[in-house]
Amino acid sequence: DDKRRVLLIGDGASDFCVAGEADLVFAKHRLIEHCRSTGIPYVPVTGFADALDLLPTLIAGEIAAHVDAAQPA
C-alpha cells in the first residue's frame, strides 16, 4: 500500500504530543512511561543506534510494538 507512515524516535516530554499521532513509536526514557500511561504502542530502544538496527525488521513488517494498558489514577 502507498500510504505513508510516521515513525517517531524519541525520549522525552517534547515528543509526547506527536507520539499519539505516529504510526509507531521507538521510545526510551520518559517517552516509554508516557506511552505506557496513555496506551500508545511503542518499541523500547536504548538509543538511536538501536533504533537504526531495528529498521530492517520494521521494513520487513516483523516488528511488534508493546501496548501497555493505562493504569487507573
Side-chain angles (χ1 to χ4, degrees):
D1 125 3
D2 291 334
K3 180 184 177 232
R4 291 181 184 225
R5 291 183 176 83
V6 174
L7 169 65
L8 170 66
I9 303 170
D11 66 354
S14 63
D15 302 307
F16 290 4
C17 61
V18 73
E21 302 300 319
D23 296 296
L24 182 63
V25 177
F26 284 177
K28 68 181 227 177
H29 300 307
R30 290 181 58 203
L31 187 54
I32 289 176
E33 296 306 317
H34 173 73
C35 290
R36 284 180 178 159
S37 68
T38 58
I40 296 170
Y42 68 96
V43 175
V45 295
T46 57
F48 192 69
D50 191 22
L52 286 175
D53 289 344
L54 290 171
L55 287 180
T57 306
L58 174 64
I59 291 167
E62 300 171 350
I63 202 158
H66 293 266
V67 180
D68 296 320
Q71 300 297 318

